Amino acid sequence: MKLFKYIVRLCKWARGALVFALFVCVSLYMQLVQVKHKQNIVDAIFSSVFYLPQSVVSYVAHIGNLSKENTILKKENAKLKLEVDLTKEYAIENERLKKLLFFENQWDYPIVLTQIIGHNPGPYMTTVVVNSGIADSIFYGMPVFTTNGLVGKVSKVHSGHSMVQLLSDPNSRTSVISQRSREQGTVFSRDNAEMQIQISSYADLITGDTLVTSGLGGIYPKGIPVGVVTKLEKSNSEVLSYGSIELLQHIESLEEAFIIQKNTDWIVWEAE
């Protein structure tokens, strides 16, 4: 232990002696060199001493500037992405409005844009709530559609909102016609929400046919797309046959719709 302490004291003495010897050597050298070289040596010593702190400070400032620039670039990138997303949304909206203009010209009825604000509880969606009502000149029986296809009809009207009965409601019946063969049928929903078409067993209807509203029934104008035939179950022994269809407008993705301000030609009130 004493030996260790002695070695430590010796190292401290040797280090001090080394530093002292270094200063003596520098002093003697400074005495021997010319005056003009003395200033250069002093400048070199001081520049070496202060170079490291200055470098550290400069590096820290540089990192700070990079961090600020990175934050600015991130904000600009987020802003540009938002502008791109909005541009895409505007393009989609523009395309939808062009289709809407076609429908307005075709039917010559005013059309109101409405937002979906709710739907009926339960396993199957049969009704949605829209934020347009009597105050917007919306009345019972007015057709509801999107640029993809038919949605349903207004079933109840309140001052600032309305209920829309969907095609998927088992109580709903819609007269349709095939765009290809002009054969007529009736679209309805089974209790399991599967969409079906009822047609004559001798009707010229095949898988892939597009169905549109026939104009019969007094509610829907003729020509609104409804769905596509996906399966047929024809029977030669039966008068009527049935097929499965897929609606062109999926209700699950519905956010907004259009209401045609067309009063019903007639209303058949079912007994309650």
Side-chain angles (χ1 to χ4, degrees), residues 126 165-173 188-193:
T126 59
Q165 181 187 36
L166 305 176
L167 298 180
S168 55
D169 187 338
N171 296 317
S172 173
R173 295 289 187 275
F188 65 98
S189 173
R190 294 194 182 276
D191 292 335
N192 61 357

Side-chain angles (χ1 to χ4, degrees), residues 22-74:
L22 180 62
F23 273 106
V24 170
C25 292
V26 172
S27 299
L28 291 175
Y29 180 75
M30 294 290 289
Q31 294 293 330
L32 295 176
V33 299
Q34 299 179 1
V35 176
K36 64 179 181 179
H37 294 305
K38 290 181 181 180
Q39 185 63 38
N40 293 335
I41 293 172
V42 172
D43 292 341
I45 293 174
F46 275 96
S47 62
S48 299
V49 171
F50 290 108
Y51 172 75
L52 182 58
Q54 290 175 349
S55 299
V56 172
V57 172
S58 177
Y59 178 75
V60 171
H62 179 65
I63 292 298
N65 291 334
L66 287 179
S67 178
K68 291 180 181 179
E69 291 177 3
N70 187 42
T71 301
I72 293 173
L73 289 175
K74 284 183 178 180

Side-chain angles (χ1 to χ4, degrees), residues 168 188-196 231 233 243-245:
S168 55
F188 65 98
S189 173
R190 294 194 182 276
D191 292 335
N192 61 357
E194 180 184 3
M195 297 303 301
Q196 297 265 296
K231 182 181 178 182
E233 298 176 357
S244 299
I245 72 168

Side-chain angles (χ1 to χ4, degrees), residues 185-237:
T186 302
V187 167
F188 65 98
S189 173
R190 294 194 182 276
D191 292 335
N192 61 357
E194 180 184 3
M195 297 303 301
Q196 297 265 296
I197 180 172
Q198 181 188 67
I199 56 172
S200 167
S201 295
Y202 306 101
D204 178 14
L205 193 70
I206 61 175
T207 301
D209 277 357
T210 299
L211 306 173
V212 300
T213 52
S214 65
L216 304 177
I219 295 179
Y220 304 117
K222 188 175 183 178
I224 305 178
V226 176
V228 176
V229 179
T230 58
K231 182 181 178 182
L232 285 174
E233 298 176 357
K234 288 193 175 183
S235 174
N236 294 328
S237 61

Side-chain angles (χ1 to χ4, degrees), residues 94-112:
N94 182 55
E95 189 65 25
R96 187 183 71 240
L97 292 176
K98 285 200 296 187
K99 292 180 181 179
L100 177 62
L101 183 61
F102 166 76
F103 284 118
E104 283 188 312
N105 292 335
Q106 181 182 10
W107 294 318
D108 197 27
Y109 292 113
I111 292 177
V112 175

Side-chain angles (χ1 to χ4, degrees), residues 96-261:
R96 187 183 71 240
L97 292 176
K98 285 200 296 187
K99 292 180 181 179
L100 177 62
L101 183 61
F102 166 76
F103 284 118
E104 283 188 312
N105 292 335
Q106 181 182 10
W107 294 318
D108 197 27
Y109 292 113
I111 292 177
V112 175
L113 174 64
T114 188
Q115 302 293 325
I116 310 300
I117 59 175
H119 58 81
N120 68 290
Y124 306 119
M125 194 180 299
T126 59
T127 306
V128 295
V129 184
V130 298
N131 64 348
S132 301
I134 296 174
D136 305 291
S137 299
I138 303 301
F139 301 103
Y140 174 86
M142 287 185 171
V144 181
F145 77 107
T146 71
T147 53
N148 293 327
L150 185 65
V151 173
K153 66 179 180 181
V154 175
S155 57
K156 290 184 180 180
V157 186
H158 303 276
S159 177
H161 68 279
S162 301
M163 310 290 289
V164 175
Q165 181 187 36
L166 305 176
L167 298 180
S168 55
D169 187 338
N171 296 317
S172 173
R173 295 289 187 275
T174 306
S175 178
V176 296
I177 188 172
S178 169
Q179 279 188 329
R180 180 187 62 84
S181 65
R182 315 312 293 174
E183 294 283 0
Q184 294 183 7
T186 302
V187 167
F188 65 98
S189 173
R190 294 194 182 276
D191 292 335
N192 61 357
E194 180 184 3
M195 297 303 301
Q196 297 265 296
I197 180 172
Q198 181 188 67
I199 56 172
S200 167
S201 295
Y202 306 101
D204 178 14
L205 193 70
I206 61 175
T207 301
D209 277 357
T210 299
L211 306 173
V212 300
T213 52
S214 65
L216 304 177
I219 295 179
Y220 304 117
K222 188 175 183 178
I224 305 178
V226 176
V228 176
V229 179
T230 58
K231 182 181 178 182
L232 285 174
E233 298 176 357
K234 288 193 175 183
S235 174
N236 294 328
S237 61
E238 299 290 340
V239 177
L240 297 176
S241 293
Y242 296 87
S244 299
I245 72 168
E246 180 180 357
L247 296 179
L248 292 174
Q249 174 57 60
H250 294 173
I251 304 302
E252 295 79 7
S253 60
L254 194 62
E255 297 180 9
E256 61 186 16
F258 301 101
I259 301 177
I260 305 175
Q261 290 181 309

